[in-house]
Amino acid sequence: MLNRPRRNRSSAAIRTMVEENRLSVKDLLFPLFVMDGSATKTEIKSMPGIYRYTTDLLLKEIEACLNLGITSYALFPQVAEDRKDSLATESHRKGSLYLEAIHAVTSRFPEISMLTDVAMDPYSSDGHDGIVKNGEILNDETLEVLAKMAVAQAQAGSKLIGPSDMMDGRVGYLRESLDDAGFTSVGIMAYSAKYASAFYGPFRDALESAPKFGDKKTYQMNPANSREALREAELDELEGADFLMVKPALAYLDIISLLRDNTNLPIAAYNVSGEYAMVKAAAANGWIDGEKAMLESLLSMKRAGAQVILTYFAKEFAQLKLS
């Protein structure tokens, strides 16, 4: 007897009935960028359709996205060069752009989930995720800055922080610092397997935060390694992480799957700026169907085991589902 798997593909109704993974706007977390000023938004040239917003317009954008069903966001700041220094002091200065934006968003929209970024690079005159001394990225000294940043964000209203720096021991250090400051309910979405990737370029354009020298290979992971991701994830879990993240997503589906098979914590995947830009550029040239490529890419991340997908496609996806 000939087996005929095609019978389960014979109509749209049957294909839907046996579908193993389904995308929902509830799976998506939308990254947004905030900048100084008022009543202004500027498009990021390398990320068509994605903008930097002043805080007043950021609130309006979130309101529009909430009406589309998007309830989870990540916020990143574009910091003026004259506010940057070697110790990233702007990152925890009371009254800073980022802390004021966090307060404005969480006060206006207490019902949303907003991931706030804990890393030095947007505020560092060196453009690195840690303190630099004689060309070396210092690990333990950096943790003190990250802790000040995390506590300041919690004080501003953040309920979920995202340490994206890849310093050793930072999850445990931040957990202890938050707890000591009385923020025991603030969660940590750890960038556990963050690779030294070529796909971050447009994001660094958005924040104007590229390293002023060298690269990030002494702290971000080697793209050749997968077992190392298990070690990083295990350490983050032991140190108190509430989510584990893989970044980038599309080129690291095997890592998403690997972590999914080895932990009971929720897995997040960051569909990064370069992955977004590639689809947009190819679609603009008529080389691919952008909408179908978007859906297939996001579905691959869900299929690999991601429960949360950070993606610049979130609004586009939500609009599609409502049409």
Side-chain angles (χ1 to χ4, degrees):
M1 181 180 66
L2 178 65
N3 287 311
R4 296 188 182 275
R6 286 183 58 191
R7 285 194 288 258
N8 285 352
R9 305 175 202 144
S10 60
S11 72
I14 291 177
R15 289 193 297 273
T16 298
M17 186 167 59
V18 299
E19 200 168 56
E20 296 175 23
N21 293 280
R22 294 177 185 173
L23 278 171
S24 165
V25 70
K26 295 177 182 178
D27 301 322
L28 308 182
L29 189 157
F30 191 21
L32 295 168
F33 300 99
V34 65
M35 65 179 184
D36 270 318
S38 63
T40 305
K41 71 175 186 179
T42 59
E43 188 172 25
I44 300 161
K45 291 181 179 179
S46 54
M47 300 173 69
I50 302 298
Y51 297 84
R52 305 179 193 93
Y53 299 91
T54 54
T55 300
D56 52 345
L57 294 190
L58 175 70
L59 296 174
K60 292 183 178 180
E61 176 65 6
I62 292 175
E63 184 175 17
C65 291
L66 269 171
N67 289 333
L68 293 170
I70 302 171
T71 58
S72 297
Y73 303 84
L75 188 62
F76 300 95
Q78 182 197 39
V79 179
E81 282 296 321
D82 63 2
R83 291 287 187 180
K84 298 180 181 182
D85 60 34
S86 62
L87 297 178
T89 53
E90 183 69 6
S91 68
H92 51 83
R93 180 183 66 84
K94 187 175 181 179
S96 70
L97 163 69
Y98 193 53
L99 296 179
E100 289 295 295
I102 292 170
H103 179 70
V105 172
T106 56
S107 298
R108 174 79 173 275
F109 304 108
E111 71 273 28
I112 72 169
S113 170
M114 188 173 71
L115 178 70
T116 57
D117 185 50
V118 175
M120 284 182 58
D121 54 327
Y123 314 90
S124 168
S125 52
D126 297 299
H128 277 282
D129 296 57
I131 295 173
V132 179
K133 185 175 182 180
N134 298 324
E136 180 184 354
I137 312 302
L138 303 182
N139 193 95
D140 295 2
E141 294 84 346
T142 296
L143 300 185
E144 298 178 23
V145 179
L146 300 178
K148 291 178 182 178
M149 198 183 307
V151 170
Q153 291 175 12
Q155 289 171 337
S158 177
K159 299 297 184 185
L160 182 64
I161 64 164
S164 59
D165 54 285
M166 290 301 287
M167 296 296 115
D168 291 340
R170 89 274 199 212
V171 171
Y173 198 98
L174 296 182
R175 182 71 274 158
E176 184 175 357
S177 298
L178 288 167
D179 290 353
D180 288 348
F183 296 108
T184 56
S185 63
V186 172
I188 298 177
M189 182 181 286
Y191 288 60
S192 299
K194 182 177 180 180
Y195 285 84
S197 172
F199 291 103
Y200 301 149
F203 179 89
R204 291 172 183 168
D205 290 344
L207 297 190
E208 297 178 341
S209 63
K212 299 298 190 294
F213 69 91
D215 53 41
K216 300 190 176 187
K217 293 181 180 178
T218 65
Y219 47 100
Q220 294 179 358
M221 288 179 56
N222 185 341
N225 294 353
S226 57
R227 290 190 299 274
E228 185 181 12
L230 287 176
R231 183 184 184 195
E232 290 281 6
E234 182 181 11
L235 288 170
D236 285 354
E237 184 167 356
L238 289 171
E239 290 174 23
D242 301 288
F243 296 78
L244 305 177
M245 188 195 296
V246 177
K247 180 181 181 182
L250 198 54
Y252 296 87
L253 297 176
D254 59 320
I255 307 302
I256 298 170
S257 181
L258 184 65
L259 265 58
R260 176 68 286 150
D261 290 342
N262 285 276
T263 182
N264 290 319
L265 289 182
I267 303 298
Y270 200 144
N271 179 207
V272 298
S273 60
E275 296 169 342
Y276 173 88
M278 285 194 306
V279 172
K280 285 297 184 182
N285 280 283
W287 297 336
I288 63 172
D289 183 316
E291 182 181 299
K292 290 180 180 178
M294 169 189 72
L295 294 173
E296 189 174 339
S297 297
L298 295 175
L299 186 60
S300 74
M301 299 162 205
K302 182 81 178 283
R303 188 182 65 242
Q307 292 169 260
V308 178
I309 301 172
L310 291 78
T311 180
Y312 302 97
F313 286 118
K315 187 175 182 181
E316 186 175 342
F317 177 86
Q319 290 170 327
L320 176 68
K321 288 299 182 182
L322 290 177
S323 62

